[in-house]
């Protein structure tokens, strides 16, 4: 494949003033007529006129009304054009019903919809499909579908047609069109300057009852962005559409957000507490893009983190404000370690701002999104809340309507704070997770922390320079009182020490409070000290981390030394779980053990070859020990956190359910599933129903309940996704691959639907003992299905290749089997650019 480099960026020779598009919709032969006003870019040489275009049949083209015959290739066209401004017109034909890649214009359940980010617009018509070319779009849609939507405001409509106009200039990747038999859940919002905005969530008939929660989330997001960032909405109407077949979670098209139905449809009967929270966050995320992404967009795709890191950061602030900030922070850390650290530790490691790619779709990653958000969190910590707000205001005023770079972003901080951010900028260019080693010394009332940072080599980056690390630290005295409240140390050197003076006794340090930098902290400590922090730390993240480290050390000793489950850990956990002053959601998080993947990586980094089966067994043994060590406490927690009355998805009842269900999972290991069976039978909401079913499946029971569940829900696609993934996830390791294979032959399996494919094979890859089973069946099955999916949907195929990214940590046999599967994939004659880039990077 051809590699594209950040350094090769050149400004566009031609800019777009206006675009008029007419769609004559037909499943197999849609005609797209375009009329584009091009003007020479006064700041760049014009060069050869070039328009992107893929999988289009060109019917005809003209310039200023005179027919022309452009030179057409597989990915675009060139044409001789006048030296001044001109009007380009073209007519192309496309086949949405045959578009299974779900990129460009495609059909889902008889409904037309689009996905253009990153480079899907070129599958709709010939156009300069790059984010730094922004135009004002007017769109006419012709077709039988009763509902026809596009960006901006509705202009006119008649029998069989509708017109939309978006006054805000935008890049093509924000274009959207939807047409189909849809019903809306309407509402409205009055902005703080008094403008009324019509709001709609559009769904297939039958799903009307699942829109209310998303609508509330939208209104909360609109209000929050006004209150916290001073950003108002800027059109008369805001539409959201739910689509069943969608590669991503959702898409922020201007005024017409398109959502994977799993990320917007919600009802107590069909959605879990986790689904509700995720839906609220994604609605907020897409809405927040209206300013961070749409009003200010990216100059080129290397700058993706400019809009994604910032928007993830904003949605995490929103969730912290709507729910529990500590619980959100701890959940984000768990997710960052599970996905981003994993990426940073393997062959796919790349900087937050990558410097080259073959297929940009492969860079919608945890590094760009979640590490990109962490970088913004660090920046805010370093400059302070007030300076952050000032810099953001400058960013919005200075760059409104522009396509920007990370340099633009950092410049507003440098100018508004007077800080030199040149070293901080390494967070954007240097891949890999820094390791932060800390040791301590104590003399004459002075306590000193000695830090050393190092970042391991990553592909293409053998040597790393020191990063700016904001390290939030507090000190706790021997009696458990805090003697130094949280203070921010700013580390810039490879090695650096910080002292605290005038102390009466040697304190215990609480380091990296709130997880103030995305690093791996190495500190020699003992169980007594961890138990002390677990009991006394005032910082919820550090407190949780102390417990997690205790659990991890205990599991590591069980795995490497055949140790018994650690009584000190079990005792400390029981104390914490009994503390009624602690948020039940926090206690539920504290009860969760480090994941199998986390343990595998830690074993690898400490010189062991991880055995996935043994990791699974030892985690099971620890869970049995937890159940045996505190049966009465667990039964008490389960009973005390039953939530009476009508289901509400809010944080408080969700927290109670989380704690009760964590207790239930342990209790079920010893009560034969009696409680879980009862809960399943009487559940009136999906959280309780699914938790009970999971408990049963995890103790090899629940056959009956699984059937009941199927009979109850077989007409609901989103619930059926849960039915598919649950069976794979809870199968005994030796049965995981066979279960996924069997489910793929089920009449409800549909490989063209990304949600269903991921429910089945994503569950396979996220069940390590099953996926990495010594037989190699997991590897073989995944490769078989990725080979089948690639010709249809390259984007989802490539994404799922990441299951193999940890392959070099395993033994020679497993490595040999994985290599063989990757090579088998690489040898497919027509492998997509997406998948071939992923496979070759993983093998490199
Ligand atoms: N821009 C792609 C989907 C999202 O991050 O919102
Ligand atoms: Zn986004």
């Amino acid at each position: 494949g051809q590699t594209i480099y950040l350094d090769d960026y050149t400004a566009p020779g031609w800019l777009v003033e206006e675009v008029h598009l007419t769609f004559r919709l037909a499943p197999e032969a849609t005609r797209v007529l375009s009329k584009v006003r091009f003007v020479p870019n006064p700041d760049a040489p014009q060069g050869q006129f070039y328009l992107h275009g893929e999988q289009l049949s060109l019917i005809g083209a003209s310039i200023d009304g005179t027919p022309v015959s452009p030179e057409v290739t597989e990915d675009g066209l060139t044409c001789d054009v006048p030296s001044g401004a001109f009007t380009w017109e073209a007519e192309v034909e496309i086949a949405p019903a045959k578009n299974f890649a779900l990129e460009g214009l495609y059909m889902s359940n008889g409904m037309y919809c689009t996905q253009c980010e990153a480079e899907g617009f070129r599958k709709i018509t010939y156009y300069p499909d790059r984010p730094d070319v922004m135009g004002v779009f007017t769109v006419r849609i012709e077709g039988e579908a009763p509902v026809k939507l596009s960006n901006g405001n509705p202009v006119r409509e008649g029998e069989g047609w509708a017109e939309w106009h978006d006054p805000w200039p935008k890049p093509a990747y924000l274009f959207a069109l939807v047409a189909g038999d849809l019903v809306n859940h309407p509402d409205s919002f009055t902005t703080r300057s008094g403008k009324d905005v019509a709001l709609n969530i559009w769904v297939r008939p039958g799903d009307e009852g699942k829109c209310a929660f998303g609508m509330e989330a939208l209104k909360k997001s609109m209000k929050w962005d006004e209150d916290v960032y001073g950003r108002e909405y800027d059109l008369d109407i805001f539409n959201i559409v739910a689509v069943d077949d969608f590669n991503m979670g959702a898409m922020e098209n201007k005024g017409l957000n398109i959502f994977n139905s799993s990320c917007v449809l919600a009802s107590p009967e069909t959605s879990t507490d986790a689904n509700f929270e995720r839906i609220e966050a994604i609605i907020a995320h897409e809405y927040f893009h209206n300013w961070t992404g749409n009003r200010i967009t990216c100059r080129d795709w290397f700058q993706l983190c400019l809009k994604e890191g910032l928007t993830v950061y904003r949605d995490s602030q929103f969730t912290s404000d709507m729910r529990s900030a500590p619980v959100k922070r701890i959940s984000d850390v768990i997710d960052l370690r599970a996905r981003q650290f994993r990426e940073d530790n393997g062959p796919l490691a790349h900087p937050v701002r990558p410097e080259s790619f073959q297929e940009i779709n492969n860079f919608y990653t945890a590094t760009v999104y979640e590490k990109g958000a962490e970088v913004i969190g660090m920046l805010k910590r370093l400059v302070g809340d007030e300076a952050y707000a000032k810099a953001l205001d400058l960013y919005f005023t200075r760059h409104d309507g522009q396509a920007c770079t990370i340099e633009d972003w950092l410049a507003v901080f440098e100018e508004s704070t007077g800080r030199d951010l040149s070293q901080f900028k390494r967070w954007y260019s240097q891949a890999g997770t820094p390791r932060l080693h800390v040791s301590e010394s104590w003399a004459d009332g002075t306590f000193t922390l000695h830090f050393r940072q190092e970042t391991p080599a990553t592909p293409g980056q053998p040597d790393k320079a020191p990063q700016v690390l904001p390290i939030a630290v507090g000190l706790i005295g021997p009696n458990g009182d805090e003697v130094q409240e949280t203070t921010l140390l700013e580390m810039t050197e490879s090695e650096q020490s910080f002292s605290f003076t005038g102390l009466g006794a040697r304190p215990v340090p609480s380091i990296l409070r709130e997880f103030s930098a995305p690093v791996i902290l190495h500190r020699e400590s003992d169980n007594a000290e961890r138990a002390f922090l677990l009991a006394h730390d005032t910082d919820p993240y550090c407190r949780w981390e102390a417990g997690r480290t205790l659990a991890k050390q205990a599991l590591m000793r069980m795995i490497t030394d055949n140790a018994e489950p650690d009584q000190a850990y079990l005792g400390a956990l029981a104390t914490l779980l009994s503390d009624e002053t602690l948020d039940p959601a926090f206690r539920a998080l504290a009860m969760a053990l480090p994941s199998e993947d986390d343990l595998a990586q830690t074993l690898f980094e400490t010189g062991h070859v991880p055995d996935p089966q043994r990791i699974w067994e030892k985690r099971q043994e620890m869970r049995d020990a937890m159940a045996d060590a505190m049966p009465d406490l667990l039964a008490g927690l389960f009973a005390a956190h039953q939530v009476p009355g009508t289901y509400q998805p809010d944080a408080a009842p969700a927290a109670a359910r989380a704690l009760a269900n964590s207790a239930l999972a342990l209790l079920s290991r010893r009560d034969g599933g009696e409680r879980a069976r009862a809960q399943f039978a009487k559940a009136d909401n999906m959280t309780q129903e699914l938790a009970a079913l999971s408990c049963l499946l995890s103790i090899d029971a629940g056959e009956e309940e699984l059937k009941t569940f199927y009979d109850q829900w077989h007409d609901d696609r989103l619930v059926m996704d849960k039915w598919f993934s649950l069976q794979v996830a809870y199968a005994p390791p030796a049965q995981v691959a066979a279960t996924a294979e069997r489910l793929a032959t089920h009449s409800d399996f549909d490989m063209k639907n990304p949600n269903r494919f991921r429910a089945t094979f994503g569950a396979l890859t996220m069940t390590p003992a099953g996926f990495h089973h010594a037989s190699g069946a997991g590897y073989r099955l995944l490769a078989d299905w990725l080979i089948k999916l690639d010709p249809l949907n390259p984007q989802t195929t490539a994404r799922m290749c990441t299951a193999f990214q940890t392959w070099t940590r395993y033994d020679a046999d497993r490595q040999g089997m994985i290599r063989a599967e990757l090579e088998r994939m690489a040898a497919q004659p027509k492998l997509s650019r997406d998948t071939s880039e992923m496979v070759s990077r993983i093998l490199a």
Side-chain angles (χ1 to χ4, degrees):
Q2 196 199 335
T3 302
I4 298 162
Y5 297 92
L6 168 60
D7 282 344
D8 290 347
Y9 173 84
T10 53
W14 299 87
L15 302 177
V16 167
E17 269 179 4
E18 272 184 57
V19 192
H20 290 259
L21 297 174
T22 299
F23 288 82
R24 301 199 172 126
L25 296 174
E28 307 273 335
T30 288
R31 288 288 171 104
V32 185
L33 288 75
S34 60
K35 184 173 175 183
V36 187
R37 183 73 185 162
F38 283 104
V39 294
N41 183 353
D43 300 325
Q46 271 60 67
Q48 171 74 69
F49 180 74
Y50 181 78
L51 300 178
H52 298 102
E54 285 176 20
Q55 297 162 33
L56 306 171
S57 305
L58 181 63
I59 308 295
S62 69
I63 288 180
D64 292 331
T66 306
V68 290
S69 302
E71 187 103 8
V72 178
T73 65
E74 269 201 341
D75 31 55
L77 60 73
T78 55
C79 192
D80 291 333
V81 299
S83 55
F86 63 92
T87 300
W88 160 267
E89 286 181 85
E91 180 170 1
V92 302
E93 188 170 292
I94 52 180
K98 293 185 186 151
N99 179 352
F100 304 113
L102 316 183
E103 220 178 35
L105 178 68
Y106 65 95
M107 300 197 75
S108 171
N109 285 323
M111 156 186 168
Y112 294 87
C113 60
T114 55
Q115 172 56 38
C116 294
E117 188 176 2
E119 298 179 334
F121 191 78
R122 63 190 62 183
K123 294 180 167 180
I124 292 177
T125 192
Y126 289 101
Y127 195 77
D129 187 7
R130 42 187 292 171
D132 55 356
V133 173
M134 301 166 83
V136 171
F137 280 63
T138 305
V139 176
R140 180 181 165 93
I141 307 168
E142 300 174 5
E144 286 160 20
V147 175
K148 305 178 195 69
L149 309 171
S150 190
N151 314 89
N153 299 316
V155 187
R156 275 183 296 270
E157 64 179 317
E159 190 61 36
W161 61 273
E163 277 180 23
W164 291 78
H165 175 74
D166 182 0
W168 300 101
K170 65 168 175 289
Y173 84 85
L174 290 173
F175 166 80
L177 175 152
V178 169
D181 183 8
L182 297 166
V183 289
N184 66 324
H185 176 101
D187 208 325
S188 67
F189 180 82
T190 306
T191 69
R192 64 176 182 176
S193 65
K195 206 165 116 82
D196 283 324
V197 183
L199 310 176
N200 292 295
I201 297 182
W202 296 90
V203 296
R204 289 196 287 148
D207 285 336
E208 303 87 321
K210 296 182 180 173
C211 301
F213 178 80
M215 184 58 84
E216 289 311 306
L218 174 61
K219 289 190 288 181
K220 282 189 214 166
S221 309
M222 295 177 86
K223 177 79 168 64
W224 186 90
D225 215 14
E226 291 184 349
D227 292 346
V228 179
Y229 279 85
R231 300 295 116 200
E232 256 185 74
Y233 188 61
D234 53 8
L235 290 165
D236 304 336
I237 187 165
F238 187 80
N239 286 312
I240 286 177
V241 183
V243 176
D244 284 333
D245 302 287
F246 206 71
N247 282 330
M248 299 198 255
M251 177 64 210
E252 70 263 25
N253 317 298
K254 183 81 185 189
L256 178 53
N257 286 1
I258 298 183
F259 275 63
N260 185 320
S261 52
S262 71
C263 298
V264 55
L265 299 182
S267 79
E269 297 73 32
T270 59
S271 314
T272 62
D273 288 329
N275 295 148
F276 277 99
E277 181 171 340
R278 181 168 143 81
I279 287 166
E280 183 176 85
I282 296 180
I283 294 218
H285 178 97
E286 304 313 329
Y287 175 73
F288 297 157
H289 267 314
N290 190 54
W291 274 93
T292 51
N294 301 1
R295 289 286 285 260
I296 304 178
T297 192
C298 304
R299 185 192 72 174
D300 56 72
W301 291 120
F302 295 103
Q303 321 294 330
L304 184 57
C305 63
L306 178 74
K307 72 179 178 79
E308 296 305 345
L310 179 53
T311 307
V312 171
Y313 184 68
R314 276 152 50 70
D315 84 56
S316 72
Q317 288 181 297
F318 169 79
T319 299
S320 303
D321 286 355
M322 295 297 128
R323 292 167 180 259
S324 154
V327 167
K328 171 64 176 162
R329 188 62 188 141
I330 294 166
S331 310
D332 281 352
V333 173
I334 294 171
D335 181 69
L336 187 80
R337 287 177 173 154
R339 302 192 304 114
Q340 200 280 320
F341 284 15
R342 177 179 152 102
E343 190 162 74
D344 253 353
N345 281 328
L348 298 177
H350 57 274
V352 169
R353 180 169 69 176
E355 277 151 29
S356 68
F357 61 75
Q358 292 182 13
E359 173 50 65
I360 185 57
N361 285 334
N362 288 335
F363 286 84
Y364 285 72
T365 59
T367 298
V368 170
Y369 275 63
E370 275 75 26
K371 187 175 179 182
E374 290 297 322
V375 171
I376 294 181
M378 284 190 285
L379 194 52
K380 181 159 177 278
R381 254 181 215 104
L382 288 168
V383 303
D385 293 352
E386 223 169 288
Y388 174 82
K390 203 171 123 199
L392 266 284
D393 282 342
L394 180 59
Y395 179 63
F396 289 123
T397 37
R398 178 181 290 176
H399 294 297
D400 189 8
Q402 297 178 1
C404 295
T405 61
I406 288 303
E407 283 71 19
D408 296 327
W409 164 255
L410 290 175
V412 299
F413 279 84
E414 291 197 317
E415 285 177 39
S416 65
T417 65
R419 240 174 206 268
D420 175 0
L421 292 173
S422 44
Q423 186 186 359
F424 184 82
K425 196 177 171 189
R426 284 181 193 148
W427 278 107
Y428 287 99
S429 58
Q430 202 164 267
T433 309
R435 271 53 171 177
L436 180 61
H437 301 264
V438 56
S439 61
E440 295 123 47
S441 55
W442 166 251
D444 305 326
T446 295
F447 183 69
T448 305
L449 291 169
H450 308 278
F451 290 100
R452 179 170 60 83
Q453 61 164 305
E454 57 178 350
T455 302
T458 54
Q461 293 187 340
D463 302 309
K464 310 282 183 173
Q467 314 244 79
V468 181
L469 303 183
I471 309 171
V473 171
L475 301 178
I476 300 169
N479 65 354
D481 290 344
E482 190 164 84
V483 294
Q484 166 68 59
E485 62 179 38
T486 306
T487 180
L488 196 71
L489 310 177
E490 196 177 321
M491 182 176 184
T492 54
E493 312 285 325
S494 295
E495 295 191 38
Q496 216 168 333
S497 300
F498 299 87
S499 292
F500 299 86
T501 55
L503 296 165
R506 182 179 181 131
V508 174
S510 159
I511 302 172
L512 211 64
R513 286 186 157 181
E514 276 187 43
F515 197 63
S516 58
V519 302
I520 294 172
L521 183 67
H522 287 288
R523 175 169 176 269
E524 292 299 324
S525 179
D526 56 31
N527 279 354
E529 197 195 69
R530 291 187 193 108
F532 177 85
L533 286 172
L534 184 59
H536 299 292
D537 206 319
T538 57
D539 182 76
Y541 158 74
C542 281
R543 201 168 176 185
W544 168 82
E545 177 71 350
R548 194 199 68 107
T549 309
L550 269 179
K552 196 164 175 176
Q553 297 297 333
L555 282 161
M556 290 288 288
R557 284 191 302 275
M558 290 167 73
I559 295 163
T560 59
D561 303 340
N562 244 344
E564 294 294 315
D566 183 358
Q567 292 306 319
Y569 164 64
L570 295 170
L573 180 64
T575 306
L576 182 130
L577 292 176
S578 321
D579 185 344
E580 299 287 327
T581 66
L582 293 174
D583 180 349
F586 177 84
R587 284 184 275 166
L589 284 171
M591 218 193 283
L593 293 173
S595 70
E596 291 162 67
D597 191 64
D598 187 359
L599 290 164
Q601 179 65 20
T602 307
L603 284 161
F604 174 69
E605 286 189 25
T606 49
H608 304 275
V609 177
D611 173 354
Q613 176 70 23
R614 185 170 172 82
I615 295 172
W616 183 83
E617 283 165 9
K618 291 297 168 184
R619 267 180 107 257
Q620 297 295 322
E621 190 182 327
M622 181 65 109
R623 288 169 63 72
D624 283 338
M626 289 160 82
D628 290 337
M630 49 190 109
D632 297 340
L633 173 59
L634 293 169
L637 288 173
F638 179 67
H641 292 87
Q642 295 300 313
V643 184
T646 317
Y647 173 91
Q648 298 292 339
D650 310 68
R657 283 187 289 268
L659 183 54
N661 286 328
S662 300
L664 179 64
L666 295 178
L667 290 165
S668 299
R669 308 180 76 82
R670 292 296 182 245
D671 74 358
E674 191 185 325
R675 290 180 184 85
R677 234 169 254 118
Q679 175 167 316
F680 183 88
K682 71 167 203 283
D684 65 355
N685 65 76
M686 184 50 67
T687 307
Q688 296 298 86
E689 189 172 346
L690 201 68
L693 184 55
S694 310
C695 291
L696 291 172
L697 294 177
S698 69
I699 57 165
D700 267 337
E703 272 306 298
E704 269 313 301
E705 285 77 6
L706 203 54
K707 284 202 194 76
T708 309
F709 191 90
Y710 180 84
D711 292 341
Q712 190 184 0
W713 297 116
H714 65 271
D715 286 334
D716 188 306
R717 285 178 87 167
L718 297 176
V719 181
M720 283 308 291
D721 290 335
K722 300 183 197 302
W723 184 83
F724 273 84
S725 66
L726 216 59
Q727 295 178 70
V728 178
Y730 287 100
Q735 299 301 317
V736 165
T739 305
E741 189 166 20
R742 174 175 56 76
L743 285 170
T745 65
H746 193 280
S747 58
D748 291 311
F749 182 77
D750 172 10
M751 71 181 300
K752 294 199 186 80
N753 177 247
N755 289 358
R756 188 59 48 87
F757 193 90
R758 283 186 289 249
T760 309
F761 294 107
L764 166 69
T765 68
M766 286 181 284
T767 309
F771 180 55
H772 293 286
H773 190 267
S775 64
Y779 306 145
R780 213 154 40 235
L781 182 69
L782 183 68
D784 283 348
W785 278 92
L786 293 181
I787 288 169
K788 275 188 235 187
L789 184 64
D790 189 59
L792 297 171
N793 188 335
Q795 205 175 319
T796 292
T797 307
R799 182 64 57 96
M800 291 191 61
C801 292
T802 56
F804 291 118
Q805 73 182 318
T806 56
W807 70 294
T808 52
R809 51 156 105 117
Y810 295 101
D811 54 84
D813 281 353
R814 285 185 172 88
Q815 286 196 29
M817 291 189 286
I818 296 177
R819 173 181 284 284
E821 297 304 335
L822 287 167
E823 286 172 350
R824 179 159 71 97
M825 290 176 67
Q828 296 303 309
K830 285 188 178 162
L831 200 66
S832 67
R833 179 172 60 211
D834 307 57
T835 304
S836 91
E837 180 184 28
M838 290 299 270
V839 170
S840 63
R841 281 167 67 207
I842 294 171
L843 278 171

